[in-house]
Each structure stands twice: as C-alpha cells, then as structure tokens.
Amino acid sequence: MGRSTAGGRWGEGGRAVGKPRPPQRRPPPPPPRPLRRRGFRAPSSKEKAAAACPAMTQSVVVQVGQCGNQVGCRFWDLALREHAAVNKALLIDMEEGVVNEILQGPLRDVFDSKQLITDVSGSGNNWAVGHKLYGCQYRENIVEKLRKTAEHCDCLQCFFIIHSMGGGTGSGLGTFVLNLLEDEFPEVYRFVTSVYPSGEDDVITSPYNSVLAMKELNEHADCVLPIENESLFEIVNKIHQMVNSGKLGSTVKQNSMITSSTGSAKTAQEKPFDAMNNIVANLLLNLTSSARFEGSLNMDLNEISMNLVPFPRLHYLVSSLTPLYTLADVNVPSRRLDQMFSDAFSRDHQLIQADPKHNLYLACALLVRGNVQLSDLRRNIERLKPSLHFVSWNQEGWKTGLCSVPPVGHSHSLLALANNTCVKPTFIELKDRFMKLYKKKAHLHHYLHIDGMEQSCFSEAISSLSDLIEEYNELDATKGGPRTDPSRLKIAV
Amino acid sequence: MSIVTIQLGQCGNQIGHEVFNAICGDVHGTHGLCSKKENESYHDACKERFFREEESEVPVARAVLVDMEPKVISQTLSTAASYSVHGPKHKEVIMDLVQREAEKCDRLGGFFTIMSMAGGTGSGLGAFVTQCLRDAFPSSFILNHVIWPYGTGEVIVQNYNSVLTLSHLYQSSDALLVHENDVIHKICAQLMNIKQISFRDVNQVIAHQLGSVFQPTYTAEGGLHYSRNPLGDLMEMLVPHPEFKMLGLRNIPQMPENFLAYSTFSWPGLIKHLRQMLIANAKMEEGIDWQVRPPCLGSSIPSSHSTNKPLHFNTSVANLVILRGKDTHSVDLGSFRDPSLYTSWLNPQDAFNAWKTPRSFNKYEKSAALVSNSQFLLKPLDSVVGKAWNMFASKAYIHQYTKFGIQEEDFLDSFTALEQVISSYSNL
C-alpha cells in the first residue's frame, strides 16, 4: 500500500486515479516490486492478537550532508527513546567524517552499512557539485538503496529529507534526491526539513546554494519545514537561562527539555550543535507521533499536506514546539495548559525568524500530544482566534489532531504548523543576498564549470523564488481588506 | 429482519463501538421496568436485529468495520468478526465482507452506515461504498448516519468533503440521519455537566440517541410483536419524497446517570418540551424559545414567502416520535398531529407516526425520541455550502482533489445538487 489514510482527501477515498509517471530521463531500472501489494484475507486469531499492537505506517528518513546527518542522528537517538522503532534510514554524505562518527558512536548498532552512501572529498560548499556531479555519479546507488529500504515497509507513507540549504552536499545532492524520489516513488509524500543559512553564515556561496535548492523545493517537495539556526540558538539560550536562573525555586526536568539528548545531559559529551539539532529532531518526532501512537483524532502526514497546502507552491510551513521544558512539579493547572497554546503562536517559539501573529494565515495545524482533552483544544482555538488573521476564504482554517501519548518527560505537548505569509521576509532576504553576489558574478565560475550547469540555472532559480515571493505578496494584499463573499448559485424554483 | 452496520473511518468505527456498547448495556444491564416476558421479547428482537451467533454462542455484531489504517479498528475488534483495512482499490474486498454479512441474515432489513463528513475515509470511501451498496442491493434500505464536524476546525477541507459526500449520498441513499458535533458538544457541556469533554463523551451521547431510535419498538397500535422492519418502517414514514432525505434527531430527557435517581418525569411535560424543540428548532431541552408558535392556518394562502409564517418556525415534512418506558400507552400525542406543523402537500395523518414500547431504555424510566424530516438541518447545510463555495471561488485546495480525479465540474455538480436541496427545504 502506498498511503494509508485517505488524508482528508475525498477523491482518494472515493475514486483513485493514479498520477501519470513523468518520462524517464535514463533507461529505467528493472520494474520494482509494487509497493502496494497487500490484498485482504480474514485475520487469523494470532493476527487478531497481534493487531492489539497495531502496525504503524512507515516513513523513510533520508539524511544528506553534514547538517542532515547530525540532525538525523539526534532524531534516531530520541526516536529510540520513544519506542523501539524499526528504523528506516538512508544516510548520505559526500565526506566521511560525520557518518563515520555516527557509526562509531552509540548509534552504531542502529544503522548498517547497507544504509550508507559516502564519498571522500565533500562537495566544497558547491550546490552544482552536489546536484550535478555527485547526483549523476551516485544515482543508481541511491535508487537501489532507497528501493531496498522501502521494500521493508508494509505501508510507506512518507519520505523525510533532512538537509541544510547553504552547503553543497545537503543542498545539492539533497535536492537531487528529492527529484529522484518524485520520479521513483511518485505517490509517496516528500517532507523536507531544510535548515536555512543565517545572515552571518560563514559559507560565502550559501545564497547561491540556497536559491538553487529553493527552486527544487518549490517544484518537487510536498511540504517544507524551514528552520533557521538563529531561532534554534535563541531557544537554546532561553532554556539555558531558565535552567540556571533557579526561578521560582522549581527545577527543570532534565530529560524534558527539547534540547536534551537521551540520558542525563551531564554524562553525554555534547557537541556544540547537539542542543539545536535536538529541537529539530523533536519536531520530526512530534510530526510523526499520530502515525506511531493512538489518539482520538488521528492526524497523519498526508493529512498535514492535504489541509495545509491550498496552492501547490505555497507549501512552506512555519513550525513551533511547546513547551520547551517541563518543571518538576507534576500537577498542571489548566492555566499552564493554556499558556502552552499561547506560546505556540509567540514569535520566540517559532523555528524560523518569523512572526505569524502579525502576518496572514492560510492555514494552521495543531497537533496535541498527551493528556489534553478535546474541550481544552477547542477552548484555546476560540480564545486565540480573534488575535490571528486568516485569509478570507479560510477563516476557520484549523486542522487539529489529538494523540494520547506524550513525549518522554512531558504530560502534554503541542506542535503548531503554520502556512503563513511570515515566511516571506526569509525568502526576500535570501533573494537580496543572492543578488548581491550575482550582480558581481562573484564565484559563478566555480558553478558554471560543472557539467550540466549553465547561467540559465541561476536565472531560472531566482525567477522561481521571485514568483514565490510575489504569490505571498498577493495574499498579503488581501489582508484586512473588505470581505465580500462570492454570490451563490441560483436555482430555478 | 436484521440490519448490517458498516462503520467507516476513525469516526465511524469509534461511534459504532459506542453504539454496540449502548445496545448491549441496555439489554443486559437494565431491567427494563417491565414484565419478564416483555423483556425477553425485547431481548430477542434486539438480538435478531443487530447480532448473530458464532459457534461459541457468543453474539457477534452484524457489522463491517472499514478503515485505511489498523489503529482504530484493532481497538474495537471485540465487537465484530469482520474487518477490513485497505485502500480504495479494494472495493471487491469490502463488498465481499458486506455480502457475507448480508447472507448471514435470515432476512436482510437494510444497511446502516456510520461515517463523518469531514475527513477522507468516512466521507469519501463512505460515499463510494454507499454507491456500491446501492448497485449490489438495489432494493434494500440504506440509511446513512452522518456526523457533521464542528464548525471550527477539525479538518480544513471539511466543507469540500461535506459537499462532495452529501451530494453523492443523496443519489444512492434512502435517508441521511445527521448528528452535529457542535450540538452534541453543547449537550455534553450543559445537560451532562461534563467538564472536560472528550470525543468519547460525544460519541456516547450519539450512541444513546441512536439506541433510543433503533432499539425494538411496536410500530402499530395494539401490535403484538416488536417491529421487524425498522429501517423500512422509518423510510416509509419519514421519506415520502426523494428530494427530502435529511433527518434530524432529538431526544428527551438527557442527563448524567447519577441524576436519574432524583428525577421524575411526566409524559405531558416531556411531550410539550419535545414539540417545542421541534417547532423552535431547539437543539436540546434547555434554552428552548417558547415564543415560537406555529402559523395560523386558513388565514391566507400559504406560500413559501407567506408573511404568516413566523420567523424561525421549523416546518416539517414528516415526524416520528418514539416513546419508551412506563405508561406509554396513555400518552396524548395530539399536539404532534397539528396540521400547522406540516407542509401542505401531505395529509397530516400520514405526516406523523409514533412507535412505542413499555420497556424503558438505558435506565431512563420514561424517554422520548423524535426523528424529524424538517428544516432542522437547513441552516447548517446552507452554512456548509456557503463556506465551501467561498473557498471554491478562490480555487484553494482544488489541486489536491484534481490530482485524484475530482474535477472542477464535479464540484459544480455537487454544489448544484445541494443548492437544490436547500431550495426545496426553504420552500416548505
């Protein structure tokens, strides 16, 4: 089976029409075993017993580049803590350092060599090297490994790609893999977690890499969760301050901080980015929680894509996680629960530098985990709605999910995903930084001498980004305007 | 005759679970406040209607559980023998299960499907399955129990899904019995005094209301046997015209179980309240607008824009009242036969029916349910269509549907069909 739930998509439940496959660019590999292969037969009593431990729909994680692998590593670490999941991952890097470290570290038994693709010299912070050079070279290998990994899934719902935008491998090869996934597995969702470079990024060519990658994300991703290091850094600091302030005499539960690794924070030798990467790892855990655990209102990944993406290219979702930590006193008065909801909308909890409250919502998803009732969820939506601006045709654009099992160390938690025009400034800044370099043709030759790269790659990429920004502008223009509902169909009596 | 229940999607399966719990709880857990003989007849009628026996002599619900993922079904496996978990390509498998259940009935009384309108499985697959049922069983009764989502946010595309589902169900189903989440939520909050309402609470209220309709009753005055054809009887009495298929449900009284011991009811009081709930379109027994009165007949030509028709008055096509418990034989239902309650094109005698049983339901000494084909659902329907149209005008989310073969013309067809239904009910 490809996707499991109908994902709120009426047509899939009613009439399924397959998406036509795009023409192959190279001779096709031997036809793969079909992914949706299971018919039905009446369950044996043994299976009925086994059904008490329900199978979950599966995702495959593809971690590309240094950033991707470091974040991915944190993800698996925390995922194993939530339950002994059978992991499905493919680790790709064009230099050995990071992957080797993973294989020597505590997760060495979690991955095996069949799940790795590495090379030696890296991509030199060059998108073209990652995308065109290594892409071409490793295509067969990547496809083969993806197929093997996918074959072990009973019900493959989604691919997660984790990468950074600013470098060479994650950005270039990562987006190459994205294209590949669309070609080879057209009906499986593609969720991409992308770490965007900050203004003071030490990689000079990061604007080029990011904009070239953006075009791929625009065209081939189902959903993108942009992340900015600055935001992660600020959250880490905030938690640090809270832990060290001894405020109110309460102590923070060590394992509850969204920045902490498994085990005590003191014993593990934490590397500088670990705390920040743990935040992203927790994002992914919460995103998949409804597929992994029971709840009274399930929200699977395909439902997220369906409900939060009203127009195909506007698929950038700003995420926030609350609470950042729990205090040791266990009884949570409902005021604190309400605070959790308020925090999800505050500027300083977003994982990119953005302020959704003062911009325009196209849609918003709230995935609640733990001991939270339906009435709490509804009460808080009613409470917060008046202070938020939703686009005129989606005034009640809320998608909600309730999962009974909270994350480790918490009694409840909330993941908010906002399709909001507040992403626009991030894209505008990216465009500005790109243009600064491009106008002077700085460093272009490093890219253009790679086979398959031309000037048009750049012009198309910046054009794609400009169009995207323009779409957000048009939506923003409707904000606060007079609302005229379109006239209804008239029926002759 | 037996009813085969088909539970679709997370909502359908969660509610189905509560419905069978409620039925079992009523039959086994309460005395019924009637004679032993009466109780036994009731038990037998209920069993024939909803259950069959396996070799182990344990009664098994005549239900088919359908979902696209195993989680919800595996939690409710105890109540049914057959389930299927698969995608939309397995129509044969679902219909095969339904066929097998149908064959195990000595006499098939029809199908009862439970689904939500908001999501994907219940709504989309549900509409598809209903069409398949109609094709495979052209002369069987099909009643769709449909859950309307909360007005605010369960699913963003819920209004699209609702429009598509309702228009398709209207073609193949005999009637739609509707429960609105917002309404049930209020009942939980105000009547049941539940502080932290969960979906389980909502589903249990729904199950109670369904039980109060579908548990055995005598449909004829002086009848000697419990009715054996509840779905058929329901359709015959409530759906005289295929344009009017939307049924609403009210029941009275509704209160927390621990209050029951301290409460007494009189039939005149219950009937008076129920009638006013009908006329004033009240969702529950609290907050009824007693100012609303039926129009005066004979004073001028009744027309759809007649100024005689007071605002907010809920005109009915047909009504069915179901009475359970003590002294039902003596209840005066004359106020429900008042012609001014009904549209002019039906004989008032045909427009109103009553089912009764002396056996009380679920610990309520006296209880009454109203199944009404009236303007109950006009406003909610209009609201859903309006919101969906608003979104459609901006083309939002359409690409998600066209990807799977639902074109813009299909949307337009659905909108047209529902505007027609709205117009018909408005002009009652």
Side-chain angles (χ1 to χ4, degrees):
Chain A
M1 284 180 251
R3 298 168 175 165
S4 63
T5 65
R9 179 180 307 101
W10 197 90
E12 182 164 276
R15 278 145 55 190
V17 173
K19 232 161 74 166
R21 277 184 65 126
Q24 292 283 321
R25 294 194 224 110
R26 311 175 116 235
R33 245 168 73 195
L35 288 175
R36 56 179 68 66
R37 56 179 190 261
R38 294 251 246 143
F40 173 80
R41 53 175 166 71
S44 66
S45 54
K46 195 169 161 202
E47 277 169 301
K48 280 190 194 176
C53 180
M56 33 191 217
T57 56
Q58 284 125 350
S59 309
V60 173
V61 176
V62 183
Q63 0 188 131
V64 189
Q66 172 172 23
C67 171
N69 278 292
Q70 284 177 338
V71 172
C73 187
R74 298 281 86 242
F75 168 74
W76 289 113
D77 195 29
L78 292 172
L80 290 174
R81 185 169 64 153
E82 277 208 350
H83 50 191
V86 178
N87 92 90
K88 313 241 180 305
L90 181 58
L91 289 70
I92 304 177
D93 203 353
M94 294 297 104
E95 53 178 17
E96 295 174 309
V98 176
V99 173
N100 277 346
E101 259 192 75
I102 293 176
L103 293 180
Q104 283 155 28
L107 289 179
R108 59 180 165 273
D109 296 324
V110 172
F111 303 108
D112 69 35
S113 60
K114 295 197 271 301
Q115 293 168 281
L116 311 176
I117 297 175
T118 56
D119 202 314
V120 182
S121 38
S123 303
N125 288 321
N126 185 330
W127 184 93
V129 172
H131 195 95
K132 303 279 182 188
L133 194 65
Y134 284 124
C136 189
Q137 202 175 324
Y138 282 96
R139 192 199 165 94
E140 302 290 357
N141 194 350
I142 294 174
V143 172
E144 197 205 311
K145 295 222 152 91
L146 281 171
R147 290 228 161 268
K148 283 245 162 55
T149 315
E151 264 165 28
H152 288 122
C153 300
D154 286 331
C155 184
L156 178 58
Q157 189 178 56
C158 175
F159 284 107
F160 279 106
I161 296 181
I162 314 176
H163 73 147
S164 72
M165 299 282 278
T169 304
S171 180
L173 188 55
T175 50
F176 178 80
V177 171
L178 179 62
N179 267 278
L180 207 61
L181 292 175
E182 191 177 32
D183 286 344
E184 300 291 325
F185 307 89
E187 300 201 25
V188 180
Y189 283 94
R190 297 172 291 284
F191 269 70
V192 187
T193 308
S194 306
V195 181
Y196 281 67
S198 65
E200 303 89 35
D201 198 90
D202 53 3
V203 174
I204 299 178
T205 49
S206 68
Y208 282 163
N209 297 329
S210 303
V211 172
L212 288 163
M214 274 292 288
K215 175 167 179 291
E216 306 300 315
L217 294 183
N218 281 342
E219 291 172 17
H220 305 291
D222 287 308
C223 275
V224 178
L225 302 162
I227 313 276
E228 283 180 300
N229 276 339
E230 279 158 80
S231 301
L232 298 179
F233 189 66
E234 281 168 16
I235 290 174
V236 169
N237 276 345
K238 201 170 145 120
I239 294 177
H240 205 64
Q241 273 170 22
M242 188 62 203
V243 171
N244 293 332
S245 72
K247 202 171 168 184
L248 302 174
S250 10
T251 48
V252 173
K253 279 164 81 171
Q254 281 300 327
N255 65 349
S256 74
M257 298 183 285
I258 61 171
T259 49
S260 59
S261 307
T262 52
S264 157
K266 300 243 170 33
T267 53
Q269 263 298 326
E270 286 204 2
K271 298 200 292 304
F273 280 101
D274 270 356
M276 290 161 62
N277 291 341
N278 277 326
I279 299 175
V280 183
N282 273 302
L283 165 66
L284 292 174
L285 273 179
N286 281 320
L287 204 56
T288 56
S289 59
S290 200
R292 297 179 290 123
F293 299 115
E294 53 167 37
S296 63
L297 188 58
N298 297 331
M299 181 158 87
D300 274 350
L301 294 161
N302 50 0
E303 295 174 38
I304 292 174
S305 172
M306 170 60 167
N307 284 279
L308 292 179
V309 183
F311 302 103
R313 284 166 30 109
L314 301 182
H315 54 245
Y316 293 86
L317 308 180
V318 178
S319 48
S320 66
L321 287 169
T322 55
L324 301 177
Y325 48 79
T326 31
L327 301 181
D329 46 357
V330 174
N331 285 321
V332 183
S334 72
R335 195 169 50 89
R336 201 168 282 163
L337 187 67
D338 287 11
Q339 187 62 45
M340 177 177 81
F341 281 91
S342 301
D343 284 343
F345 293 89
S346 78
R347 202 180 201 290
D348 52 5
H349 279 77
Q350 310 303 316
L351 299 191
I352 65 166
Q353 301 283 291
D355 188 6
K357 252 187 162 161
H358 294 103
N359 285 281
L360 189 63
Y361 275 90
L362 279 74
C364 185
L366 296 177
L367 179 47
V368 185
R369 294 180 67 175
N371 187 20
V372 181
Q373 292 309 331
L374 174 65
S375 49
D376 298 316
L377 177 55
R378 299 191 57 75
R379 181 185 72 246
N380 277 287
I381 291 178
E382 291 305 311
R383 185 173 64 84
L384 292 163
K385 241 171 53 169
S387 59
L388 303 170
H389 309 281
F390 273 79
V391 78
S392 68
W393 42 261
N394 209 2
Q395 291 282 300
E396 277 136 89
W398 296 89
K399 167 71 180 155
T400 55
L402 288 165
C403 172
S404 335
V405 180
V408 175
H410 294 261
S411 58
H412 49 268
S413 75
L414 173 64
L415 163 67
L417 295 171
N419 192 339
N420 187 304
T421 57
C422 67
V423 285
K424 204 175 60 173
T426 303
F427 297 152
I428 292 176
E429 269 180 49
L430 199 58
K431 181 177 171 187
D432 289 344
R433 277 186 248 137
F434 175 95
M435 291 311 291
K436 266 206 187 97
L437 291 175
Y438 193 59
K439 276 197 186 117
K440 293 182 268 179
K441 301 205 187 321
H443 307 286
L444 268 186
H445 56 283
H446 291 303
Y447 292 77
L448 295 176
H449 86 254
I450 302 290
D451 208 16
M453 281 301 284
E454 288 158 18
Q455 190 97 13
S456 59
C457 296
F458 282 84
S459 49
E460 279 168 21
I462 197 64
S463 175
S464 175
L465 181 57
S466 301
D467 287 345
L468 183 67
I469 292 171
E470 194 42 44
E471 275 191 65
Y472 281 109
N473 277 334
E474 276 167 29
L475 283 165
D476 270 334
T478 67
K479 184 179 169 214
R483 183 162 158 213
T484 43
D485 290 339
S487 31
R488 298 265 293 270
L489 290 175
K490 297 239 179 334
I491 302 291
V493 176
Chain B
M1 282 178 131
S2 311
I3 300 175
V4 173
T5 301
I6 301 167
Q7 309 175 183
L8 296 144
Q10 176 170 28
C11 174
N13 280 291
Q14 281 174 190
I15 290 181
H17 178 71
E18 296 299 342
V19 169
F20 282 104
N21 268 352
I23 292 174
C24 289
D26 175 44
V27 170
H28 298 295
T30 64
H31 303 291
L33 300 178
C34 58
S35 69
K36 187 166 174 227
K37 185 163 174 276
E38 190 70 63
N39 226 354
E40 274 171 14
S41 300
Y42 187 81
H43 185 169
D44 290 340
C46 174
K47 206 163 126 193
E48 183 203 40
R49 200 173 276 197
F50 296 113
F51 298 91
R52 54 180 168 78
E53 273 186 10
E54 294 281 271
E55 304 86 44
S56 56
E57 289 189 15
V58 173
V60 165
R62 298 183 191 272
V64 177
L65 283 60
V66 181
D67 206 349
M68 308 247 277
E69 45 158 5
K71 280 204 294 288
V72 178
I73 287 183
S74 58
Q75 288 160 18
T76 61
L77 266 181
S78 55
T79 56
S82 51
Y83 75 92
S84 67
V85 176
H86 39 225
K89 299 191 168 121
H90 296 264
K91 163 195 167 176
E92 300 85 38
V93 177
I94 300 176
M95 291 312 292
D96 187 55
L97 282 174
V98 171
Q99 188 72 44
R100 279 195 261 155
E101 275 301 336
E103 276 162 17
K104 289 185 187 159
C105 302
D106 285 336
R107 286 173 71 200
L108 178 62
F111 298 98
F112 181 63
T113 73
I114 313 179
M115 57 177 50
S116 89
M117 267 192 345
T121 303
S123 65
L125 185 57
F128 180 67
V129 166
T130 304
Q131 178 67 52
C132 296
L133 283 176
R134 180 49 74 212
D135 291 339
F137 302 89
S139 53
S140 289
F141 295 108
I142 302 175
L143 176 65
N144 290 94
H145 178 234
V146 182
I147 303 296
W148 290 50
Y150 287 98
T152 329
E154 283 178 35
V155 172
I156 292 178
V157 291
Q158 62 190 42
N159 296 313
Y160 278 167
N161 291 340
S162 302
V163 164
L164 291 166
T165 300
L166 286 173
S167 58
H168 280 73
L169 287 180
Y170 232 77
Q171 285 168 18
S172 22
S173 171
D174 289 306
L176 278 61
L177 182 61
V178 175
H179 268 114
E180 301 163 75
N181 272 351
D182 282 304
V183 170
I184 306 296
H185 191 104
K186 277 213 186 87
I187 290 178
C188 286
Q190 291 177 238
L191 297 182
M192 309 294 280
N193 285 335
I194 302 173
K195 294 280 178 284
Q196 290 208 294
I197 299 166
S198 65
F199 270 115
R200 187 143 184 264
D201 298 315
V202 171
N203 293 344
Q204 282 177 344
V205 171
I206 292 174
H208 175 84
Q209 291 201 343
L210 288 175
S212 71
V213 172
F214 290 108
Q215 285 291 59
T217 52
Y218 297 96
T219 48
E221 283 292 348
L224 297 168
H225 304 285
Y226 276 108
S227 155
R228 301 190 71 191
N229 189 11
L231 284 186
D233 291 338
L234 194 91
M235 302 305 179
E236 195 191 308
M237 293 170 184
L238 288 176
V239 189
H241 189 292
E243 188 63 15
F244 298 89
K245 287 182 181 172
M246 312 239 11
L247 308 178
L249 212 166
R250 301 283 184 270
N251 80 335
I252 191 172
Q254 184 94 55
M255 58 179 49
E257 200 178 295
N258 51 0
F259 281 26
L260 283 173
Y262 306 103
S263 319
T264 49
F265 304 100
S266 71
W267 279 120
L270 289 174
I271 298 303
K272 188 168 169 207
H273 275 74
L274 196 61
R275 182 177 183 266
Q276 195 61 23
M277 279 160 73
L278 169 65
I279 296 174
N281 199 352
K283 308 291 188 181
M284 56 181 174
E285 65 209 64
E286 254 177 48
I288 302 176
D289 183 355
W290 290 94
Q291 299 298 322
V292 179
R293 288 263 179 275
C296 301
L297 274 192
S299 41
S300 97
I301 306 160
S303 76
S304 56
H305 305 291
S306 160
T307 48
N308 270 342
K309 273 237 166 84
L311 289 171
H312 312 306
F313 174 75
N314 181 46
T315 309
S316 303
V317 173
N319 287 309
L320 170 65
V321 165
I322 302 163
L323 305 176
R324 299 178 184 273
K326 213 164 151 213
D327 300 328
T328 46
H329 56 273
S330 63
V331 179
D332 176 13
L333 290 167
S335 58
F336 274 97
R337 294 184 215 278
D338 181 353
S340 64
L341 267 53
Y342 298 95
T343 181
S344 56
W345 41 266
L346 256 194
N347 201 328
Q349 285 152 294
D350 300 325
F352 177 75
N353 286 279
W355 294 352
K356 301 178 187 182
T357 172
R359 204 240 187 226
S360 73
F361 174 64
N362 212 4
K363 300 182 188 159
Y364 284 81
E365 185 199 60
K366 299 184 179 90
S367 61
L370 166 69
V371 186
S372 175
N373 189 344
S374 65
Q375 294 171 320
F376 265 168
L377 293 154
L378 180 51
K379 239 170 105 187
L381 180 59
D382 190 60
S383 167
V384 165
V385 172
K387 287 183 199 166
W389 184 249
N390 201 8
M391 195 180 268
F392 185 69
S394 65
K395 300 282 173 279
Y397 298 101
I398 298 297
H399 74 283
Q400 303 272 14
Y401 291 83
T402 52
K403 255 196 313 206
F404 289 89
I406 308 289
Q407 304 301 331
E408 282 190 30
E409 295 85 63
D410 298 311
F411 273 94
L412 284 170
D413 288 342
S414 292
F415 278 114
T416 310
L418 291 183
E419 293 286 6
Q420 181 66 61
V421 174
I422 291 171
S423 174
S424 302
Y425 272 100
S426 297
N427 291 327
L428 278 180

